[in-house]
Amino acid sequence: MKTIIEPFRIKMVESIKMTTAEQREKIIKKAGYNLFMIHAEDIIIDLLTDSGTSAMSDIQWAGMMRGDESYAGARSYEHFYNKVYQLTNFKHIIPTHQGRAAERILFDILAQSGKYIPSNTHFDTTRANIEYNKAEAVDLVIEEGKDPQSLHPFKGNIDLEKLENFFKEKGRENIPVCMLTITNNSGGGQPVSMENIRGAKQVCEKYGIPLFLDACRFAENSYFIKMREQGYENKSCREIAKEIFSYADGCTMSAKKDALVNIGGYLAMNDDELALQCRNVLIVTEGFPTYGGLAGRDLEAIAQGLDEILDEDYLHYRIRTVEYMGERLDKMGAPYLKPPGGHAIYLDAKAFAPHIPVNQFPGQAIAVGLYRAGGIRSCEIGGIMFGKNDPETGAYIPPNLELVRLAFPRRVYTQSHFDYVLEVIEEVYKNRDSLKGFKFTYQAPLLRHFTAQFEVCH
Ligand code: F0G
């Protein structure tokens, strides 16, 4: 088989500033060993997130120039509405400035104290918006989804038996909506099968509970269904995506992922009464319903991005990139969460650096190691982000998994960049015994990972 090439060519470039190991040593120390505190210019390959970091196409940029910036009834809204409607068939489509704004509007209305909102796994902002409104966010992913070595093809699936029991136990009047995150980001970018989505819809229907998708990475999920689920091999990803949306009553969407834009999102649904309430909140907090939190040009870019993301040559290259990273990591023996997901590789830090105790944050040690060795920015998703202290004893409670996420921006880096990343990981892995843990010198009471400062444990 021939090399799977990037199915695009480059018309505009952005220079990468190179740094030496000595320079990086000073930079990371000055940043208090927190990669969020480094100037992006001092990063060689930035794999902090795949969100809002896509390269837009020539046609998207052309659309930006054609944006209609009328306050009400802009042509760009019609274009955006038609594209989202053709894909999802949802009647009401409400533009927001990003995914969490859609979540905030939805949960301002649906979530209150005493309510429960189940999902396969809620993403952090979804959970935060639910909890901010005093409701409870509950994760019901299948057991295989929690095992970093399980090769289940759809590790993002929700446990349908647990879901039904949950509905029975809590009562439909206390469950305003059920969510399903496709792909399941917090579980490693793992897909949800069509069978599972259909099954979730059946259970929800039986209890009269609406099903909403967190659809950020719907196209990557569709491609996995085509590759892995019987009966879908000859369907187009667009057909698969349309079938996925046909089972849902609505969705929240961060267009910063699978709509290939740098900012944007939407909230969509069929329920007229709910849509009316959402639009009222939208007008107060985001903007008039035909632009929401966005400019007309952003709506044009989303409309076009939703077509481009379903190009199967693109999706093939996209998923193959992550798979290729996994194969090469297997060869060098470096442990990561398997199978590789849709948008990122997650190194398994406890297995990678077993000599570092969890209260010294092995994920952070690896993330700092990757920056030192090659200027790569990754993200610790482990104790620093999710660790807690027992409110009574103060004892440290680590999360189940200590991961380092390398998330891949869409259409930004080429194969040689990825080969470089692999070389850097290999170097860090070979010298893993020299990695050292970290301890906090400063931590904020909330979302401490963004601003924390550290020193090296000796
Ligand atoms: N849902 C999922 C599954 C996400 O991954 C994200 C963002 C959001 C909702 C929120 O969307 O950022 O547009 O407000 N994920 C980013 C990430 C931040 O790095 O994984 P947003």
Side-chain angles (χ1 to χ4, degrees), residues 94-142:
I94 298 172
T96 59
H97 78 270
Q98 59 185 82
R100 68 197 72 180
E103 294 163 3
R104 183 181 51 77
I105 292 171
L106 184 67
F107 297 122
D108 267 6
I109 296 161
L110 295 182
Q112 299 95 35
S113 163
K115 304 274 191 227
Y116 300 88
I117 295 162
S119 180
N120 46 352
T121 314
H122 289 285
F123 181 66
D124 327 4
T125 57
T126 323
R127 172 176 294 280
N129 273 296
I130 292 170
E131 291 175 352
Y132 187 77
N133 285 295
K134 310 269 185 290
E136 208 172 299
V138 182
D139 295 338
L140 298 175
V141 74
I142 56 170

Side-chain angles (χ1 to χ4, degrees), residues 209-283:
I209 293 166
L211 176 67
F212 269 57
L213 301 171
D214 176 341
C216 301
R217 299 180 180 85
F218 75 95
E220 289 167 7
N221 201 96
S222 301
Y223 188 79
F224 279 118
I225 289 176
K226 183 176 168 111
M227 290 297 114
R228 297 181 184 173
E229 193 163 346
Q230 225 191 343
Y232 289 92
E233 45 286 87
N234 296 321
K235 296 220 157 137
S236 71
C237 287
R238 178 175 289 278
E239 285 170 318
I240 295 171
K242 284 172 91 160
E243 184 177 338
I244 292 176
F245 286 113
S246 76
Y247 299 125
D249 300 287
C251 75
T252 56
M253 172 76 184
S254 168
K256 299 172 75 172
K257 284 82 166 172
D258 275 356
L260 292 165
V261 295
N262 306 118
I263 194 73
Y266 50 87
L267 172 61
M269 67 200 70
N270 287 326
D271 185 319
D272 297 334
E273 175 53 34
L274 180 62
L276 192 74
Q277 287 177 283
C278 290
R279 285 209 178 88
N280 288 340
V281 179
L282 182 86
I283 291 178

